[in-house]
Amino acid sequence: MTTLELLTRAAVMGIAGSAFIDAWAFFVRRTFQVSSLDYRMLGRWLGNMPHGRFFHARISQAPAVPYEGPLGWAAHYGIGITFAVA
């Protein structure tokens, strides 16, 4: 198997795994009214890192960063792909 094939398979598996987690969270939220993770908070945490802020008592009270939602979702799927590669 070539490196490109390995990375392609890992990307597909990581995206599929992350999508499955998202579908499960949607099901649990709709069926049992259990709130799920807010990936904007992941984006906010990552977005504050370039400013030297790595730790927060409450990430929800940290300063908002531009595009924290898309950043959080991209990180969520990027982490899924990274786990698939590993």
Side-chain angles (χ1 to χ4, degrees):
M1 178 181 319
T2 67
T3 303
L4 181 60
E5 288 175 327
L6 175 67
L7 293 177
T8 301
R9 288 181 183 194
V12 170
M13 288 174 48
I15 291 168
S18 296
F20 178 79
I21 289 171
D22 295 336
W24 180 255
F26 178 79
F27 168 76
V28 169
R29 182 175 54 241
R30 292 288 186 187
T31 306
F32 303 108
Q33 289 76 43
V34 174
S35 62
S36 182
L37 295 173
D38 184 356
Y39 293 116
R40 287 180 303 143
M41 297 300 106
L42 174 58
R44 184 173 295 181
W45 179 61
L46 292 170
N48 276 293
M49 285 183 177
H51 305 289
R53 293 184 289 260
F54 299 96
F55 302 100
H56 307 272
R58 294 181 144 231
I59 190 64
S60 62
Q61 295 176 350
V65 297
Y67 306 106
E68 62 188 21
L71 177 60
W73 279 95
H76 166 58
Y77 278 85
I79 291 166
I81 292 168
T82 301
F83 278 138
V85 169

